[in-house]
Amino acid sequence: MIGCEVVDVTVHNNELPVGDTQEKAERFDVNCKIDDGSQINLEMQASRMEEDIGGNHKNLKGKSIYYLCDLHSSQPAKGQRRYDRLARSYQITFCSYTIFPHREDYVNSYSVRHDLDNELLHDAVRWVFVELSKLDEILKKPVETMTDLEKFAVFFQYAPSQEHRETVNKVLESEEVLQVAGNLLMSISQDERERAIFRSRRKFQTDMESNMATAIDNRMIDVARKMVAGGEPVDKVIEYTGLNCEEVEKLI
């Protein structure tokens, strides 16, 4: 998924303690560092984000960009900062719904490349989306033929499902790391737990603000569309809805 073999993982920020699960709003994130020094932020997006009408999941994609940039720029300086020696940073989002309906693969990776010839600018950051909604065919495979990533994806998607309990149990039996994942998360120090709580609360608050703002924008667009259809002048539509001239002209 990230193009390298992982030997060891250190978890830095883990799932919130049980008492704070409501603050997490069905999402968890695990910020960790692998043996080559790379940073990875693993996130589960279980509920749909509020999006513009026909917005092509820009809110979710924008969120992934925002937090990966935050993670990459948060690396501590050791002596004189060398930008060419910063660790690679990955944002891996496990999503319960489909983001890229035009792509058959359930794993899609993005990096920073040139618009014309696809030349890689830098391999410092990468976004990986795992669409759990596309696992129907994988679920039909015998567990012994599944890849490690497929097993993890099946576990994340179907762990609560009674219908697929037998398959999930076989996945757990075949993948030791899934069995010990809970114990590993419990080993995190109290200071790291506090940082996880702070970061997760901030993410939850930001998500809520983004969802509310998007919902309001959608309502204003709907009002503007009706005003335009009713023959109201552009300046009145702008004054009433708060949209800019370009947005209203698109509706016209």
Side-chain angles (χ1 to χ4, degrees):
M1 183 161 55
I2 62 175
C4 64
E5 182 179 354
V6 178
V7 177
D8 190 25
V9 176
T10 302
V11 180
H12 290 287
N13 289 326
N14 67 309
E15 168 79 278
L16 287 179
V18 175
D20 291 311
T21 53
Q22 289 185 347
E23 300 240 39
K24 206 56 183 119
E26 295 185 287
R27 290 184 296 277
F28 73 90
D29 62 273
V30 179
N31 294 304
C32 55
K33 183 176 290 186
I34 60 178
D35 49 292
D36 69 352
S38 298
Q39 304 180 110
I40 302 177
N41 185 56
L42 295 167
E43 180 174 26
M44 173 66 77
Q45 185 69 42
S47 56
R48 286 180 177 270
M49 292 196 70
E50 190 77 33
E51 301 282 355
D52 285 335
I53 300 172
N56 198 28
H57 300 289
K58 286 185 178 180
N59 236 356
L60 175 61
K61 296 171 186 176
K63 172 188 175 182
S64 298
I65 293 170
Y66 180 87
Y67 284 111
L68 179 57
C69 291
D70 182 43
L71 176 66
H72 191 65
S73 64
S74 67
Q75 296 183 54
K78 295 181 179 179
Q80 185 177 0
R81 184 186 293 276
R82 286 283 301 270
Y83 292 114
D84 59 339
R85 295 182 181 177
L86 291 175
R88 293 186 182 92
S89 300
Y90 300 88
Q91 170 71 32
I92 301 177
T93 301
F94 289 84
C95 194
S96 64
Y97 56 93
T98 300
I99 313 168
F100 309 104
H102 60 294
R103 297 190 180 278
E104 184 177 349
D105 291 340
Y106 75 102
V107 179
N108 290 285
S109 178
Y110 293 85
S111 56
V112 183
R113 295 181 177 272
H114 194 279
D115 287 345
L116 298 179
D117 59 14
N118 211 34
E119 178 187 358
L120 181 67
L121 175 66
H122 205 293
D123 63 353
V125 292
R126 188 186 300 176
W127 293 264
V128 181
F129 295 89
V130 182
E131 297 169 278
L132 301 178
S133 56
K134 296 179 178 179
L135 296 179
D136 289 346
E137 291 303 313
I138 293 173
L139 197 63
K140 298 175 184 178
K141 297 170 61 175
V143 171
E144 56 270 19
T145 66
M146 293 181 184
T147 66
D148 289 344
L149 177 57
E150 288 172 344
K151 291 176 182 178
F152 270 83
V154 167
F155 173 75
F156 288 148
Q157 179 71 343
Y158 299 109
S161 171
Q162 290 297 324
E163 179 183 355
H164 301 100
R165 175 61 58 191
E166 182 178 352
T167 301
V168 171
N169 287 340
K170 288 181 179 178
V171 166
L172 287 172
E173 292 171 3
S174 68
E175 195 64 46
E176 184 179 359
V177 68
L178 281 174
Q179 299 177 29
V180 303
N183 293 332
L184 177 61
L185 293 179
M186 291 301 293
S187 69
I188 306 303
S189 69
Q190 186 61 38
D191 287 343
E192 288 169 330
R193 284 181 178 275
E194 291 300 322
R195 291 202 305 272
I197 293 171
F198 172 78
R199 184 179 180 87
S200 296
R201 283 175 175 166
R202 189 185 67 172
K203 289 180 69 175
F204 175 63
Q205 181 178 3
T206 305
D207 288 355
M208 288 293 294
E209 291 172 355
S210 177
N211 285 343
M212 291 177 62
T214 304
I216 291 172
D217 288 345
N218 286 339
R219 286 197 294 272
M220 289 298 100
I221 290 173
D222 188 51
V223 170
R225 185 179 290 112
K226 292 177 180 177
M227 292 180 70
V228 168
E232 297 289 351
V234 172
D235 57 346
K236 185 176 181 180
V237 176
I238 292 174
E239 178 182 1
Y240 189 82
T241 64
L243 301 179
N244 59 43
C245 184
E246 181 181 357
E247 291 170 329
V248 175
E249 288 177 351
K250 284 182 179 179
L251 295 177
I252 297 175

